[in-house]
Amino acid sequence: MEPIVEVTHLGKNFRRGLEEIHVLSNLSLQVPQGEFLALMGPSGSGKTTLLNLIAGLDSPTQGSIRVGKELISAMGESRLAKWRTRHVGFVFQFYHLLPVLTAYENVELPLLLLPLTYSERKKQVLTALDLVGLSDRLSHRPGQLSGGQQQRVGIARAIVTDPTLIVADEPTGDLDSKSAEEILELLVILKGALNKTILMVTHDPRAANRAERCLHLEKGQLVNETYQNFNVHTQAVSH
Amino acid sequence: MEGIAERIDSFLVPLVVTPGDAIRFTLVEWLGFFVLFTGFAFAGWAWFYFRFILRNLLRNWLRTSLTAMATMVLVLVVTLVWTILLFLSNATSEKAKDLKAIITEKWQIPSQMPFSYEADLSEGAPSKNGDFRVDTTKDSMTWQFYGGTVDPAKRTRENIVFFFCMDPNKLMTVNDPTIDSLMASIPIPATYPYRKEETGEMVEIKSLNLTDAQKKDLEKVKNAVQKGQITSMMDGLDEMAPEELVAMRKAILLTLGDKRKVVVGRERLLALNKRIGETFKLTSLNYKDIDLEFEVAGVFPDGRYNQSAVMHRDYLNDAMDDYNRRNPGKRHPLSDKSLNLVWIRVPDTASFQKVEGQIAISPKFQSPAVKCETASSGVASFLDAYRDLLWGLRWILVPFILLTMSLIISVAISISVRERRKEMAILKVLGFAPGQILIVVLGEAVIVGILSGFLGSFSTYYLINEVIGGVKFPIAFFPAFMIPFEALWWGPTIGAITALSGSIFPSYNACRIKVSEVFARIS
Ligand SMILES: Nc1ncnc2c1ncn2[C@@H]1O[C@H](COP(=O)(O)OP(=O)(O)OP(=O)(O)O)[C@@H](O)[C@H]1O
Ligand SMILES: [Mg+2]
């Protein structure tokens, strides 16, 4: 089967003043449809940069990225924006909900960019919030919700457009272990029930443990790859 | 040098001084915006934008209200300045056709000429064949000023009346006898819009109960103004309704029949606490010992003459003669100084120059000498004394205020954009295009600008016109400047434009935000 994400010989440089920083170089990667993939690696290794590139928030310096049938590395900024609306759902470490909007309105936000009627939007928003278990918090503002609840609103917002890809950058990084556990559970359920492809960056081995596959990034290169039995594998190494 | 300055002036002045012509949006245009906006709102998710923007504004209501307050104060100042400048620029702009000229004493202000000048000056002092002769039946007017108080013991603004003494016919001249008899036949009393009851009480006339023929006649009266069958040496005839024209004519006929009868403006009458038909006695302030008794025959239609009063010039002149007869050997000190102004109307500039020359060379006006100027240049030369002040108002104060306003708004918006860089970035991540983010940021500024501008205009209009009674700016002989009705649109226009110009930079920055930079933790 065709992989849903195909990254080929990817390179990304940033320019800071005169200095050119090579963040990613010659990185290739394939993600099959419906996989829950974790990305790990030390701080500054380029995890967020890679995730942003795959999600179409930035353009690569070299190489190509294909998502579904589309070569997103060749798209311009405004086409990327349109593409993101339909194909990518984002989950952030700090939730990034808009504080003036209610939970319902936050989840509705990406739908406003699609040609949907009010009642179609409403149906989708309610389904998404129901899925994350927040049907009773529709009119709460982010400030009135706990961290775990805010992150669940964030996940509802990410799935409401029924995207091809869900990207999550340290989604549990700001949560206590119990809330983190709930969020991970939710992601696993999403993957199972909706067959969503999920890319998650994390520092937490327990979080990575819930993924099917875990990639290690170091200085812009993939250095290691572990599968479902990640647990067993690391144990084997440590013995 | 002068020429260039003038050309620059004529180019810039419409922008700065007469917003009426240049940057004012008309009522229709504003309605257009409104329809467009609501159209958008119903068409799609502009309604969402509107709510979103509004909530963002309310989130930081302190900053929002400070911005709004600054805008309102500045709109107030700009409106005051523009009101004065607009009025003066209208008063000094020359009409090419049917221009009016003022003849006054040459060397002295206030002008005091002997009444014996009247006959010659009214004609434009023609001395030989081929000279231009002003038609004194309709194209000239003399002004003498008579002021007095109804309560000499306690003079206040309320109990003082200042009369223009003139030929009442020049208030409204009917040049066609058929129109005159037509007007006489329409049953509208001189006291319109009031009717005098048997008890002496005045009741407002609700409806006139005219026959169809009489309504047709009213129509003809209105047309007569356009056709020049009815003319006036005063301004504002074309603002009057036909009913008011008829009533005015009847009031004039009354004053012609009895020189004690006068026409007084609505507000002046109210201040005096007098009603139509009542009499009052004035103790003169400028004509010492010439105290006169008056009867109110009619009121001016609501508008520019609300504070004015007009009496028959014969009343003053006869009283003066009478005084001199009663006091032989001791003439009244103002005997040969009672003619203050002569107005004439000429068809074009060439005739004006002719009349100006005729008066200048005439031997009849030696002591005192007189001069003839167009009305607008008369006002203009008077204003010359204030030139620096007006220049400062126009070129320093107004631009400075507008600049300050834009700065305040742009600083406020900049702060709020910077505070919300992350939120803008989130919108971008979700797929909002730069243009849509621009709408959010510009929208905030423009909504605050328009609303506070409108509020500023409205409260200025109400405060100045209704509460204070005009801008009391002591310049020329204009008692007070009323804020024109169209000024209600200055505020929102100024507000919108300064908000736009103030927020362009911050909003451009906002929509250029790079998501990867906002979210990357640069380590
Ligand atoms: N927009 C940018 N401009 C310049 N340098 C950048 C930019 N974004 C990232 N970098 C640099 O690229 C490198 C990788 O950054 P990135 O955010 O991808 O790391 P990361 O693996 O996500 O780290 P962390 O675990 O701390 O989130 C860092 O050295 C960072 O300074
Ligand atoms: Mg990162």
Side-chain angles (χ1 to χ4, degrees):
Chain A
M1 203 179 83
E2 278 266 290
I4 193 95
V5 178
E6 187 166 28
V7 175
T8 325
H9 304 306
L10 184 70
K12 179 69 183 173
N13 302 342
F14 285 112
R15 185 171 273 289
R16 207 183 287 157
L18 287 175
E19 189 186 2
E20 183 102 357
I21 314 163
H22 301 273
V23 178
L24 301 174
S25 51
N26 199 20
L27 189 148
S28 296
L29 167 70
Q30 294 189 344
V31 185
Q33 157 71 40
E35 187 180 49
F36 184 177
L37 175 73
L39 267 172
M40 289 189 83
S43 190
S45 56
K47 304 182 296 293
T48 299
T49 306
L50 177 60
L51 206 65
N52 284 349
L53 286 170
I54 293 174
L57 286 178
D58 211 344
S59 299
T61 317
Q62 290 120 30
S64 67
I65 303 169
R66 186 180 56 73
V67 178
K69 298 225 167 320
E70 284 163 294
L71 194 65
I72 63 160
S73 50
M75 289 186 192
E77 208 189 312
S78 62
R79 264 191 74 199
L80 273 178
K82 284 211 180 73
W83 175 81
R84 281 201 301 273
T85 311
R86 287 183 178 278
H87 295 283
V88 191
F90 289 86
V91 182
F92 303 95
Q93 179 181 358
F94 298 106
Y95 335 124
H96 289 331
L97 303 175
L98 296 184
V100 291
L101 301 181
T102 62
Y104 180 96
E105 289 162 339
N106 264 292
V107 176
E108 190 189 18
L109 206 51
L111 293 181
L112 292 168
L113 297 169
L114 299 174
L116 297 175
T117 64
Y118 173 78
S119 57
E120 286 168 335
R121 289 203 301 269
K122 184 168 179 180
K123 204 174 124 220
Q124 267 175 260
V125 173
L126 293 180
T127 309
L129 279 168
D130 191 38
L131 214 69
V132 299
L134 283 178
S135 301
D136 54 343
R137 294 284 190 275
L138 300 183
S139 53
H140 285 56
R141 299 271 171 100
Q144 301 164 319
L145 297 171
S146 74
Q149 287 171 327
Q150 287 187 54
Q151 192 58 300
R152 282 193 271 159
V153 175
I155 291 174
R157 181 177 66 184
I159 60 172
V160 76
T161 53
D162 192 22
T164 318
L165 203 61
I166 292 173
V167 299
D169 196 348
E170 302 185 38
T172 58
D174 203 46
L175 295 175
D176 60 80
S177 55
K178 186 171 168 290
S179 307
E181 201 52 48
E182 283 170 13
I183 293 298
L184 289 167
E185 196 60 45
L186 194 54
L187 288 175
V188 170
I189 289 170
L190 281 179
K191 180 218 134 36
L194 305 175
N195 196 27
K196 291 282 161 212
T197 312
I198 304 177
L199 266 70
M200 177 179 72
V201 165
T202 184
H203 281 288
D204 179 3
R206 276 187 310 167
N209 206 7
R210 306 298 296 261
E212 292 163 293
R213 181 161 68 121
C214 180
L215 294 177
H216 286 259
L217 206 63
E218 225 160 274
K219 291 185 181 144
Q221 305 253 305
L222 285 175
V223 291
N224 194 0
E225 192 168 304
T226 41
Y227 285 89
Q228 255 164 339
N229 53 349
F230 168 61
N231 242 339
V232 181
H233 178 89
T234 38
Q235 274 163 12
V237 169
S238 61
H239 281 292
Chain B
M1 222 22 236
E2 192 67 40
I4 294 170
E6 259 168 34
R7 241 177 300 154
I8 293 174
D9 219 38
S10 67
F11 175 71
L12 286 175
V13 161
L15 264 179
V16 184
V17 177
T18 53
D21 306 322
I23 58 168
R24 182 191 78 211
F25 297 139
T26 62
L27 185 57
V28 179
E29 283 162 322
W30 275 108
L31 276 176
F33 289 147
F34 184 74
V35 168
L36 230 101
F37 190 80
T38 43
F40 270 129
F42 285 108
W45 30 266
W47 172 235
F48 162 82
Y49 275 133
F50 187 70
R51 265 184 322 167
F52 184 55
I53 290 168
L54 220 60
R55 287 198 206 158
N56 273 322
L57 287 173
L58 291 178
R59 172 155 59 147
N60 206 327
W61 64 269
L62 185 67
R63 180 169 55 220
T64 305
S65 48
L66 282 177
T67 316
M69 229 128 75
T71 310
M72 281 170 65
V73 169
L74 298 166
V75 163
L76 176 110
V77 181
V78 172
T79 303
L80 296 187
V81 174
W82 272 354
T83 295
I84 294 168
L85 294 180
L86 178 64
F87 186 89
L88 295 182
S89 91
N90 284 345
T92 53
S93 68
E94 199 82 72
K95 278 205 284 179
K97 271 183 69 185
D98 280 344
L99 51 149
K100 278 198 233 169
I102 318 173
I103 304 164
T104 53
E105 198 179 328
K106 194 168 188 176
W107 304 117
Q108 193 183 298
I109 293 177
S111 153
Q112 293 177 315
M113 303 175 286
F115 195 74
S116 58
Y117 281 12
E118 181 265 342
D120 285 313
L121 286 181
S122 294
E123 287 195 311
S127 58
K128 56 183 189 301
N129 267 351
D131 274 2
F132 187 88
R133 187 179 291 269
V134 177
D135 180 356
T136 55
T137 60
K138 63 181 179 61
D139 290 334
S140 73
M141 165 170 73
T142 59
W143 272 4
Q144 296 163 271
F145 299 130
Y146 177 86
T149 170
V150 289
D151 185 1
K154 189 162 86 23
R155 284 188 230 158
T156 61
R157 231 171 71 85
E158 275 67 43
N159 64 36
I160 286 177
V161 193
F162 191 67
F163 274 106
F164 293 93
C165 315
M166 54 186 279
D167 173 4
N169 253 324
K170 299 300 166 52
L171 273 177
M172 185 172 131
T173 317
V174 182
N175 303 309
D176 184 331
T178 62
I179 296 291
D180 216 2
S181 49
L182 196 73
M183 288 170 107
S185 75
I186 303 174
I188 295 174
T191 57
Y192 177 85
Y194 300 98
R195 185 177 59 228
K196 197 171 176 194
E197 295 287 283
E198 289 300 315
T199 57
E201 236 175 310
M202 304 302 295
V203 191
E204 189 160 359
I205 299 174
K206 293 278 182 331
S207 74
L208 279 165
N209 296 325
L210 297 181
T211 65
D212 285 344
Q214 286 163 341
K215 282 179 190 156
K216 276 225 177 72
D217 289 347
L218 269 185
E219 211 42 51
K220 279 187 205 159
V221 169
K222 188 75 198 172
N223 290 338
V225 175
Q226 259 105 60
K227 288 188 199 154
Q229 290 163 320
I230 300 177
T231 55
S232 171
M233 281 303 286
M234 309 282 267
D235 296 322
L237 201 63
D238 42 353
E239 292 162 13
M240 287 162 61
E243 294 87 351
E244 293 171 333
L245 290 169
V246 174
M248 179 79 136
R249 182 61 190 159
K250 293 199 174 161
I252 289 171
L253 289 174
L254 287 174
T255 61
L256 287 170
D258 176 354
K259 59 192 180 188
R260 287 169 58 257
K261 292 191 170 166
V262 291
V263 184
V264 184
R266 219 168 276 278
E267 286 169 9
R268 189 84 319 241
L269 214 51
L270 208 66
L272 288 171
N273 196 19
K274 291 288 168 201
R275 287 189 292 210
I276 304 160
E278 290 187 335
T279 58
F280 60 93
K281 196 172 166 175
L282 286 189
T283 305
S284 179
L285 297 172
N286 54 343
Y287 285 87
K288 204 170 163 338
D289 295 330
I290 300 187
D291 300 338
L292 300 172
E293 200 178 36
F294 302 95
E295 183 184 328
V296 184
V299 287
F300 285 105
D302 208 12
R304 63 173 81 200
Y305 297 115
N306 279 351
Q307 289 285 354
S308 309
V310 165
M311 66 184 268
H312 200 308
R313 65 181 183 185
D314 288 356
Y315 196 20
L316 174 65
N317 293 335
D318 293 352
M320 178 78 86
D321 291 346
D322 193 44
Y323 178 98
N324 289 338
R325 223 172 305 144
R326 275 188 286 114
N327 302 290
K330 182 175 162 281
R331 282 168 65 77
H332 193 279
L334 289 178
S335 287
D336 289 322
K337 296 177 167 199
S338 70
L339 180 61
N340 300 100
L341 275 171
V342 178
W343 292 82
I344 56 172
R345 178 167 42 216
V346 291
D348 48 40
T349 329
S351 336
F352 166 74
Q353 281 160 352
K354 234 171 164 180
V355 171
E356 192 186 19
Q358 286 161 203
I359 289 172
I361 59 162
S362 170
K364 290 176 182 161
F365 317 114
Q366 295 302 328
S367 170
V370 299
K371 66 172 189 286
C372 177
E373 314 168 282
T374 58
S376 50
S377 76
V379 175
S381 69
F382 193 96
L383 290 181
D384 219 35
Y386 301 91
R387 205 169 61 183
D388 293 343
L389 181 64
L390 293 176
W391 189 91
L393 285 180
R394 178 192 295 182
W395 297 116
I396 299 174
L397 192 64
V398 170
F400 180 78
I401 287 168
L402 292 178
L403 204 76
T404 318
M405 216 157 125
S406 308
L407 271 177
I408 289 176
I409 290 170
S410 92
V411 166
I413 300 259
S414 291
I415 295 173
S416 83
V417 166
R418 216 160 305 153
E419 275 173 4
R420 287 182 292 145
R421 269 170 71 81
K422 274 226 171 74
E423 288 170 36
M424 305 287 165
I426 297 164
L427 289 179
K428 264 206 157 162
V429 168
L430 296 180
F432 279 75
Q436 292 167 318
I437 291 172
L438 202 73
I439 292 179
V440 174
V441 183
L442 281 185
E444 266 183 42
V446 171
I447 284 179
V448 174
I450 290 178
L451 286 184
S452 53
F454 189 74
L455 225 65
S457 269
F458 192 80
S459 41
T460 304
Y461 185 84
Y462 181 80
L463 192 78
I464 300 297
N465 286 10
E466 307 294 326
V467 181
I468 300 178
V471 191
K472 306 253 162 46
F473 189 69
I475 198 164
F477 39 81
F478 312 112
F481 298 89
M482 289 297 177
I483 312 265
F485 182 73
E486 69 214 52
L488 285 185
W489 304 114
W490 293 352
T493 308
I494 296 170
I497 289 176
T498 45
L500 264 180
S501 59
S503 60
I504 274 175
F505 191 66
S507 53
Y508 178 77
N509 273 346
C511 76
R512 299 295 343 149
I513 280 177
K514 271 214 124 86
V515 178
S516 56
E517 279 166 22
V518 177
F519 288 139
R521 273 174 302 155
I522 315 274
S523 45

